[in-house]
Amino acid sequence: MTTDWDAATYDRIADPQARWGEAVLDRLPLRGDERVLDAGCGSGRVTELLLARLPAGHAIALDGSPTMLEAARRRLASFGDRVTFIVADLLEPLPIDRPVDAVLSTATFHWIRDHDALFRHLAAVLRTGGWLVAQCGGAGNVASVLAAAAEVGGPWSSAAEGPWLFASAEETADRLARAGFVDVRTWLQSEPTPFEAGEPLETYLATIVLREHLARMPDSDRDAYVRGVAAKLPRPEIDYVRLNIVARRGRALDCGTPSGS
Ligand SMILES: C[S@@+](CC[C@H](N)C(=O)[O-])C[C@H]1O[C@@H](n2cnc3c(N)ncnc32)[C@H](O)[C@@H]1O
C-alpha cells in the first residue's frame, strides 16, 4: 500500500476523476440489480454514481485506506444497506465471500505495482462472464509532472522508479488474459487537464500527483517543492494518459457488449 490520503481534500478536488469515472461507468452494462465491487472506491464519488445505476442492486465499496473509506461512508450513508464497506488491500486475496457480478475500478490500479496479483485477486471474486470495467493511469501518464519533479529534486529520477505502474495497453491485455479474463480490450486515452494556476493547481498536485514524493520529505520542504514543480510545468495543465480496461471473467455468457473503445 502507498501512504494514506487526505480524503477530505481529495473528495473536494477530484473533479477530473469523477468526470472520467462517469464515462467509465457508461461502459459497464447493468440491469440495476447486480452486486458490483468498486475496487479502490476512495471517497466514494464514483461509487455514488454507480449506486444510482443499481436501484435494486448492491455496491461493495472497497479501499485500502481507512480514511478514504470513512469519507465514502459519510458520502454514501443515504444508500443504507445497498452498500457494504470493506477495508482491504487489492494486493491480497479479497475478503468477499461470494462472487460479484461485475468489478468497476477508477483511478486506482496505477497505485498498485503488481498487476498480475491484482488481476488474479479480482478474477477470484468475479463470477464467470462478469465484466471488469476499469480505468487508471497508463503509459506516459503525468510525464511532464514527473519530469519537473525530478528536475526540482526528490526521491525519484524517472517515472519507472516510483510506487506506481503506468502500464501499456498491450502488457495489460496480456496480464488480464493470464489472470483468466477473455474478450479483453485495453486502450490508452490522452486527457490533458488544465487547472487554475497557483493554489488550485498546487493543492491538486500535493494531494494527488505528488503525494508520494511529499511523503518522503520533511513537512518544512513540501510547499516550496510543490511550488517549484508547478513553476516548471510548461503550462498549468497535467498531461494525464488513462488506460482503459474492458474484459470478462472466463467464457462470454450474457449481457451486451460495452460501448466505447
Ligand atoms: C485516486 S483514488 C481513486 C478513488 C476513486 N475510485 C475515484 O475515482 O475517485 C485511489 C484509491 O486507490 C486506493 N488504493 C491504492 N492502492 C490500493 C490497494 N493496494 N488496495 C486497496 N486500495 C488501494 C487508495 O487508497 C485510494 O483511495
Side-chain angles (χ1 to χ4, degrees), residues 48-245:
E48 189 171 11
L49 302 175
L50 168 66
L51 277 158
R53 297 179 188 208
L54 292 173
H58 190 94
I60 298 174
L62 181 149
D63 202 280
S65 158
T67 320
M68 281 292 215
L69 212 62
E70 210 36 60
R73 265 183 213 282
R74 282 195 297 276
R75 174 178 279 281
L76 304 175
S78 64
F79 291 96
D81 62 6
R82 288 208 291 120
V83 54
T84 304
F85 300 92
I86 300 180
V87 179
D89 187 346
L90 290 161
L91 274 171
E92 302 290 335
L94 300 177
I96 294 176
D97 53 1
R98 62 194 169 89
V100 295
D101 296 306
V103 176
L104 173 76
S105 182
T106 57
T108 293
F109 291 173
H110 56 276
W111 292 111
I112 296 169
R113 284 194 63 99
D114 186 349
H115 280 192
D116 288 307
L118 168 68
F119 295 152
R120 258 199 327 273
H121 297 319
L122 294 178
V125 298
L126 182 55
R127 74 164 172 80
T128 303
W131 292 108
L132 164 64
V133 175
Q135 185 187 75
C136 62
N141 194 45
V142 301
S144 68
V145 182
L146 295 180
E151 239 186 281
V152 175
W156 304 290
S157 55
S158 85
E161 291 174 17
W164 49 73
L165 176 67
F166 299 138
S168 71
E170 294 73 20
E171 65 191 334
T172 300
D174 289 345
R175 286 186 178 120
L176 287 162
R178 280 201 299 275
F181 287 92
V182 296
D183 299 337
V184 172
R185 286 190 298 136
T186 56
W187 70 101
L188 294 176
Q189 167 187 339
S190 183
E191 282 287 346
T193 305
F195 289 84
E196 196 182 321
E199 189 277 329
L201 172 63
E202 289 163 19
T203 299
Y204 188 94
L205 288 172
T207 308
I208 301 178
V209 188
L210 294 175
R211 51 186 279 281
E212 290 293 341
H213 292 74
L214 300 182
R216 288 160 178 77
M217 60 182 72
D219 264 4
S220 52
D221 293 351
R222 293 179 183 175
D223 287 350
Y225 185 76
V226 174
R227 273 199 302 277
V229 173
K232 284 214 175 293
L233 294 180
R235 62 192 77 84
E237 179 177 287
I238 298 182
D239 51 345
Y240 275 116
V241 179
R242 313 314 286 170
L243 168 64
N244 293 301
I245 293 173

